[in-house]
Every structure is written in structure tokens, then in C-alpha cells.
Amino acid sequence: MMRGTVQMDAVASPRKMLEMPQGEQAFAIVDLIYEAAFAAELWPEVLGAASAISRSASGAIFVFSDQSPVRAVTEAHVQPLLDEFMARDSWKFSESVQRMCSAQPASFVRVDDFMTREEIERDPVRESAAAFGIGSHVCTSVPMPGGELVLFVFQRWLKDGIYDQVAIDRLNELRPHLARAGVIAGRLGLERAKAAVSTLREIGLPAAVMSGSGRVLTANPLLEDMAHVFLPTAHGGIALADEPANALFQQAIAQTWDNRVVRSIPVPGTKGRPALVVHLLPLRRAAHDIFSGADIVVAATAVIAGATVPSPNILSGLFDLTPAEARLAVELASGRSVQEAAKEIGIAVKSARTYLERIFRKTGTSRQSQLVALLKSARAFP
């Protein structure tokens, strides 16, 4: 068993998962999520573990793209329902699917909250699910740099009623890790990566593989061409040219086994380069083997500079902000004071200041003016 990890055999059984202390549950599932990013056959296990802690009947991942058919993974006991969904292209006629693709929720939300009773009753996907014994759905989305959209969907048996906030909160704790793993899984087509070199090429993003000590083991040409962003350091390491971003970057490398550390790091744009977000994915179990014992994959995604304020969805996905933090950040970037922003989103000023401190920590900024400048450089993915 690797340093800082929990024995993963327990994850395979929902019953064993529920018997574990809550802290160990979280570490076990997060390890499995990062393993599944490169070993797609493990996604059903990830979904099963997340289902167990949220009292869900099942979970599924869908990748929507204009360039290819819908791809999906689910748990074995609901595979017939997914097969029907895929074979008939039912999603094209589903109000719930279209609504989630349009809304792109940045946290897990109850799908029914976005629909009328009449829309739910005539939705072919919901009709098939009800016949299978499934009722309440929750969903979140992760926009991909290449334009794909990944949806994570969890469902409850009709007999278990609607999702309570505790279950939704538990899924939202996993969301930043699901989002980072989803970036890779979406690019690799939910297929198992065959080797380190081919994986870095297929990702289509500037990327490198590193040891736990921060030494670069291999990098693809896209990252090698970014010498103005990634600087060589002693002993074969790399650093980010932007100092505040590099502080977060080095901390993420040093604390790669801490699931609470920030792993999506914003890099402000310059006159000749758009803003970037650098993601660090720890390699666990099978993924560790694929990359010949490496410990971290670093991947960079570019964002388009613009004068408009980004949406909470984009901020949440880029900077690991919670939905509440993202809403506050949008209000601040719109020119409101902390007091005005707190009133606008309906929270206490004291809470807003607490959120702002967390936002500063996650974005590597220390002043509101710095934060606003950074956020306005992160309008959308290219």
C-alpha cells in the first residue's frame, strides 16, 4: 500500500464502504477516482463507492461532444437501463438531459428542481428510469477544454425518496476530484491508457509526468514548448514562472497525498499568452503502474482572456471554488464590495469574508484587485 493511501479493497464493497470511518471513506474514494482517470475500467467502482456514501441506487458518467457519439459508463446492475438510453438515442428527446447540458451545474443539484412536473412526466428517460424503479436524480457538469461536456449523474430508488442535502454535500466533496479526473477521462475517451508516452500525446494538453519529489520524468512537446511558463529547476524539477502560482504549485507537489490541497492552480495571462490553469493529478494504484512508478501528472489548460466576468460554473471548475465561493467571486469581479456581494447572494458579511480568504488561498492572490484581474482573464475555455 502506498504512502498516505487507504487500503482500496474496501471500496469495492458498498457495505464495507459504509462501515469505514467517514474520513477513511473520503481518502479511499479519492484515491480510486485518480486511479480511474487512467484506468477506465475502474469507473464503475468509483460510481459504486460514491453511490454507497450518498445512498444512491447508481451513478453514471456521460461525455457529450459535437465530434463523437455520446460515451457513458455506469454500474453493472443498471447497465440494461444505460444500454436502452444509448441504443435509442433517448437523450436527444429528454428534457432533463437537455436542461442539464444547458444549465451546466457547477455543483451537484437535484435535476427535478430545474423541471416542471409535466416535463418530468413526459420525459422518456425519466419514464424508463421509473419503470426500472429509479426516481430522484442529481447531476453536475464539467466542461472540457476541447468543448466536450462531462455529466456525473446519481440516482435513487423510488422507495428512497428525493436526495437530502447531506447526500448532496457528500457528493460535492468529491466533485473537484471528479472534475480533474474527468478532464483526463474525457480526453482519453473513457478507455484505458496503454503507456505513459502515448497517454501524454493523446491527452492533447501540455502535460508532464513527475516523481513525488518533483522531478520531471517525461513531458510531451506541448509542455516543452512552454518554457516561458514552466521553468527548469535543480535536480530535474520544474517551477511556474508566476511566483504566486508557483507557491501553490510547489505546495501541491510537496503535499500530493493530502486530498485537501489545491490542485487546480490559476496562472494569470501575460501580453503574449492567455491565462492558464495547471492541474495536478496524483497517480494511484493502476495509474501509478501505467506511468512506471511516477506519482503526479501535470496538465495545463488555456483560457481565453476577456473583459466580461466569468460564470460561477467556469470559476468552480477552474479554481476548485465551492459554489458559494464562486458566486461571491463573480459578484466581486463585477465591481461590488464584500458587503454588497454578501447582500446580493444572501449571506452574512462575516461568511463572505471567510469565503474571500479561501478564494485568495485557492487562487494565489492576496488583494481584491488582484483577484478581479485574474478572474477577468478566465472568461471561458478555448
Side-chain angles (χ1 to χ4, degrees):
M1 184 171 62
M2 295 192 303
R3 174 185 46 162
T5 62
V6 176
Q7 179 62 41
M8 296 303 299
D9 292 341
V11 175
S13 166
R15 182 182 60 80
K16 288 183 179 180
M17 171 60 65
L18 291 174
E19 292 174 355
M20 296 170 65
Q22 187 168 334
E24 290 186 14
Q25 289 177 8
F27 275 105
I29 298 176
V30 170
D31 273 8
L32 191 58
I33 288 170
Y34 287 120
E35 184 180 8
F38 300 96
E41 68 274 15
L42 296 176
W43 276 114
E45 263 188 82
V46 171
L47 297 169
S51 292
I53 66 167
S54 59
R55 294 184 55 239
S56 298
S58 66
I61 308 169
F62 298 93
V63 180
F64 295 89
S65 171
D66 292 336
Q67 286 74 46
S68 60
V70 178
R71 290 163 282 159
V73 173
T74 192
E75 299 176 55
H77 64 281
V78 292
Q79 190 65 47
L81 188 61
L82 178 64
D83 291 342
E84 179 183 351
F85 176 85
M86 301 295 286
R88 297 183 181 180
D89 279 346
S90 301
W91 64 272
K92 294 180 179 179
F93 311 101
S94 169
E95 189 72 35
S96 59
V97 174
Q98 299 300 333
R99 195 66 54 83
M100 289 297 98
C101 288
S102 176
Q104 297 188 14
S107 61
F108 278 97
V109 298
R110 299 180 190 91
V111 176
D112 289 1
D113 291 347
F114 291 74
M115 302 175 66
T116 66
R117 182 179 296 276
E118 291 74 19
E119 288 172 335
I120 295 170
E121 290 175 350
R122 67 171 180 256
D123 190 313
V125 170
R126 298 300 296 274
E127 184 178 355
S128 298
F132 201 82
I134 286 174
S136 183
H137 289 53
V138 291
C139 173
T140 191
S141 69
V142 181
M144 297 291 107
E148 305 94 342
L149 183 69
V150 177
L151 295 184
F152 290 91
V153 181
F154 288 87
Q155 310 159 317
R156 274 192 172 172
W157 298 118
L158 281 167
K159 64 181 178 61
D160 292 331
I162 67 171
Y163 277 89
D164 54 278
Q165 193 58 46
V166 171
I168 293 174
D169 289 344
R170 298 206 72 182
L171 289 173
N172 277 329
E173 289 173 4
L174 300 177
R175 188 188 182 280
H177 309 289
L178 290 170
R180 269 186 291 272
V183 168
I184 301 302
R187 280 300 178 99
L188 296 180
L190 296 176
E191 299 169 358
R192 184 182 177 91
K194 297 298 189 296
V197 175
S198 64
T199 297
L200 290 185
R201 183 175 61 248
E202 290 169 9
I203 287 174
L205 300 170
V209 180
M210 303 175 66
S211 69
S213 64
R215 184 167 61 90
V216 176
L217 303 180
T218 184
N220 66 12
L222 294 174
L223 187 132
E224 290 174 345
D225 289 342
M226 298 179 69
H228 54 299
V229 176
F230 294 95
L231 307 178
T233 64
H235 309 297
I238 54 173
L240 299 180
D242 182 83
E243 290 187 12
N246 187 54
L248 291 174
F249 183 68
Q250 300 303 330
Q251 181 184 40
I253 293 172
Q255 300 180 22
T256 187
W257 302 104
D258 186 346
N259 291 328
R260 298 163 297 182
V261 71
V262 175
R263 292 201 183 108
S264 292
I265 299 164
V267 181
T270 63
K271 187 174 181 180
R273 174 187 57 74
L276 301 169
V277 178
V278 176
H279 305 278
L280 289 88
L281 286 81
L283 296 169
R284 305 288 165 86
R285 298 221 312 172
H288 187 263
D289 297 337
I290 288 169
F291 286 92
S292 303
D295 296 302
I296 306 166
V297 164
V298 176
T301 58
V303 294
I304 298 174
T308 58
V309 177
S311 71
N313 186 18
I314 290 173
L315 294 184
S316 179
L318 291 182
F319 304 140
D320 269 6
L321 302 184
T322 67
E325 291 165 355
R327 288 195 298 272
L328 177 65
V330 166
E331 296 300 328
L332 295 175
S334 299
R336 291 186 171 89
S337 66
V338 173
Q339 292 82 359
E340 292 168 337
K343 182 178 180 181
E344 182 67 24
I345 63 178
I347 61 174
V349 174
K350 183 178 180 180
S351 297
R353 294 192 186 281
T354 299
Y355 292 163
L356 182 57
E357 288 301 317
R358 294 175 187 166
I359 294 168
F360 283 156
R361 179 176 61 81
K362 292 179 180 181
T363 58
T365 56
S366 57
R367 299 192 305 274
Q368 192 168 327
S369 59
Q370 288 180 322
L371 176 66
V372 171
L374 173 65
L375 298 183
K376 285 188 175 181
S377 73
R379 180 166 55 87
F381 284 121

